[in-house]
Amino acid sequence: MISREQRIVAAALIAAGVAIGVEAMTFEVGFLTDPVGPKALPLVVAALLVFAGSYSLVRPGKAARWPVREAGFRIVAAAGAFVAYAVALPTIGFFLSTTLVVMALSALYGAPRAHGLAAATALSGVLWLLFVRLLALPLPVGDLWIR
Amino acid sequence: MGGFAIALQPLNLGLALGGVLVGTFVGMLPGIGPINAIAILIPVTFATGIPPESALILLVGIYYGSQYGNSISTILLNVPGTASAVVTALDGYEMTKQGRGGPALAMSAISSFVGGTLSIFALVLFAPVLAEWAIRFGPAEYFALMIFAFSALSSFSGGSLVRGLVSTALGLGLATVGLDPNSAVPRYTFGQIELLDGMDFVVVTIGLFAVSEVLQLLEDTKGGQQTAAAYGRVMISAKELAGTTWTMLRSSGLGFLVGVLPGAGSTIASFLAYSTEERIAGTSGRFGQGDIRGVAAPEAANNAAANGAMIPLLTLGVPGSGTTAVLLGALLGFGVTPGPLLIQEQPDLFWGLAASMYVGNVFLLLLNLPLVGVFVKALTLPRWFLIPGVAALAFVAVYAVNGSSFDLMLMTMFGVVGYLMRKMDFPLAPVVLGLVLGPLMEKNLRRAMSLSGGEVNVLFESPIAITLWALALASLAAPTLLRMWTRDVVAEVDAAVPTGVPDEL
């Protein structure tokens, strides 16, 4: 018996395949570059995805075991923290944003708050020294502090 | 011999030592695999401006070093550091329970050394021969070879061929993002300037492997931080060494052969070597009950396979696994195009690397025999410290690729995708192989077709191409045969190793 989730995955594969294929048809080249052209590989990808999606409708694999509610919450929170990090990094700079994200992540992993803060500050500091001072690899200072 | 002049330069010696140390750690720690460490260090090596051979000595050191380290947590905790050490758990952990953890660790280090060293010997022997032969490869042959690599990895890497193909298709699809180099048509960029250059394999790899692992480990935050059982002195008797000599030699040879083939790699080598030795031992063996040969066989084989996999990477430029695909990406980033001419054109790189691998294996043996205690300490690091630390390193590495936080967004997206793929049993390695090898495959196909004026037959004309197509087809059936040969071992592993198999090839 095929589960709802497996049906969603199969439908997503087919939809992705169709979308990739439709988009590939727009890759027109004005002049003849080569007999294969830019369309061929995307069309193969599209065909593979549509085939795999249809196949898994007929012969679904074993169902995934999803985490319990709290674990799911932790995972969503962590992914959210990473997105927030990407947004905040240019503005508040490497040191502060890395300290915050590492602290958040260690809290999600169950660290005592004081331990997490100490570890996060130390880690951000060490990484800053290592990359900016030692390897001369520029990390953002933060637009907020420069102005 | 000129290679040793390169390998023994202080910088390269230091990098080899650093590489094998990092490799031992990431191999040992469950959840952090060599592919993560290599991907994270690639932008760093670019930034430092060290020469390509030095960078390769470091990155490859992590790669083979991890094959030593992976057995430590396997033997002491029954938690395999990487998938290629899973079989070692059967007899290794059993020996620990019997109070013979020390001999198991020593056996693992020695057989890793034997497998590693013999396979480097085979590498320098066979790589030039294969390169000589591969000079005849034209675009049609390369295209067929890459199809072989894709089909082999798709069929070997996951439980199901269809899911493997989906992962390969995803990787190939990602490879098409950006400006098409032939016609300058933008493909799947959605008007984003950041995507015109295409997807950077470092960003995708770190997202798919490291970030998804960080997310997955959140499912069970109580794990990790375990105290290892007492293991006694890390040494074995001369009698035990003599009794495993043939096992180590056979497993090294087998592992090397499996490693050279695309798709298979260290994990399959370790399963094959274990099954084979179990059969050879017959009733004299106590496999699964703490037979020391059950440690020697997979450890010799997985090290030999890791080094064997360097042959197609260096002499053909066609990797057969996720980790070697990342190494190919690193080489291309340094402006080195591996292929049949590499040994002639970049002798320093090839011979320097080979010599440093000998040196690295000696380091590993010396580190792993007396210093096991230090490594075991690392297993007691709490997860709340270790994993956020790895995440922070991953962020810096991804940011360093282009100096843009857009890549951090992409990384997070691939982290979520990777997590979902893990949960639904889609293998991750084919995505990376597709992404790195896809552009080369497309280029060779188009070149072959241009030369023939659009005649498709050119792809199936030469005997070499026909053979490669046949191998590609055969590889689709190979997992079934393999499963028949290793069925007993797979069942034993499922029963004995509670954490399951970490997904990494």
Side-chain angles (χ1 to χ4, degrees), chain B residues 348-370:
Chain B
D348 284 3
L349 185 124
F350 179 80
W351 297 107
L353 176 67
S356 95
M357 288 168 79
Y358 281 118
V359 177
N361 269 279
V362 175
F363 279 148
L364 281 164
L365 186 66
L366 295 178
L367 287 172
N368 272 267
L369 287 178

Side-chain angles (χ1 to χ4, degrees), chain A residues 9 13 20 23-24 27-29 34-38 41-42 45 48-49 52 55 61-62 64-67 71 74-75 78-79 82-83 85-87 89-90 94 101-102 105-106 108-109 111 115 119 123 127 131 135 137-140, chain B residues 44 47-48 162-163 166 169 172-173 176 180 182-183 185-188 211 214-215 217-219 221 383-385 387-389 391-393 395-396 399-400 405 408-409 412 416 419-420 423-425 438 441-442 445-446 449-450 453-454:
Chain A
V9 173
L13 289 174
I20 289 173
E23 175 75 9
F27 300 155
E28 291 301 342
V29 190
D34 59 320
V36 179
L41 184 60
V45 170
L48 274 175
L49 289 177
Y55 181 89
K62 64 172 188 253
R65 267 178 302 171
W66 296 102
R74 283 197 296 269
I75 290 166
F82 299 163
V83 172
Y85 179 73
V87 175
L89 182 68
F94 174 81
V101 78
V102 170
L105 198 55
S106 61
L108 288 173
Y109 271 100
H115 286 65
L123 190 70
L127 284 178
F131 283 90
L135 297 174
L137 208 135
L139 294 171
Chain B
V44 180
T48 53
V162 173
R163 282 195 288 274
V166 170
L172 290 174
T176 61
D180 170 34
N182 264 41
S183 60
V185 173
R187 298 190 285 189
Y188 308 108
V211 176
V214 170
L215 297 178
L217 288 173
L218 277 169
E219 284 183 9
T221 50
R383 204 171 254 182
W384 64 258
F385 175 75
I387 303 298
L393 275 172
F395 296 160
V396 177
Y399 184 83
S405 55
L408 288 167
M409 288 282 193
T412 308
V416 173
Y419 172 74
L420 295 175
K423 295 309 285 182
M424 289 185 281
D425 241 3
M441 182 184 80
E442 195 181 22
L445 173 66
R446 288 166 127 179
M449 298 296 275
S450 296

Side-chain angles (χ1 to χ4, degrees), chain B residues 312-346:
Chain B
L313 170 65
L314 294 172
T315 62
L316 302 170
V318 178
S321 71
T323 312
T324 46
V326 172
L327 287 172
L328 173 64
L331 281 170
L332 296 174
F334 272 105
V336 177
T337 311
L341 298 174
L342 179 86
I343 302 177
Q344 292 168 29
E345 287 176 355
Q346 311 246 9

Side-chain angles (χ1 to χ4, degrees), chain A residues 1-3 6-7 55-63, chain B residues 163:
Chain A
M1 192 50 209
I2 182 163
S3 71
Q6 287 166 330
R7 234 179 259 140
Y55 181 89
S56 46
L57 273 181
V58 188
R59 300 264 310 265
K62 64 172 188 253
Chain B
R163 282 195 288 274

Side-chain angles (χ1 to χ4, degrees), chain B residues 256-301:
Chain B
F256 179 77
L257 287 177
V258 172
V260 175
L261 293 173
S266 334
T267 308
I268 288 167
S270 65
F271 274 90
L272 268 177
Y274 188 93
S275 313
T276 308
E277 287 306 312
E278 192 174 17
R279 265 159 232 247
I280 289 174
T283 49
S284 80
R286 295 176 55 251
F287 279 74
Q289 300 157 34
D291 193 315
I292 199 161
R293 285 173 290 182
V295 174
E299 286 306 308

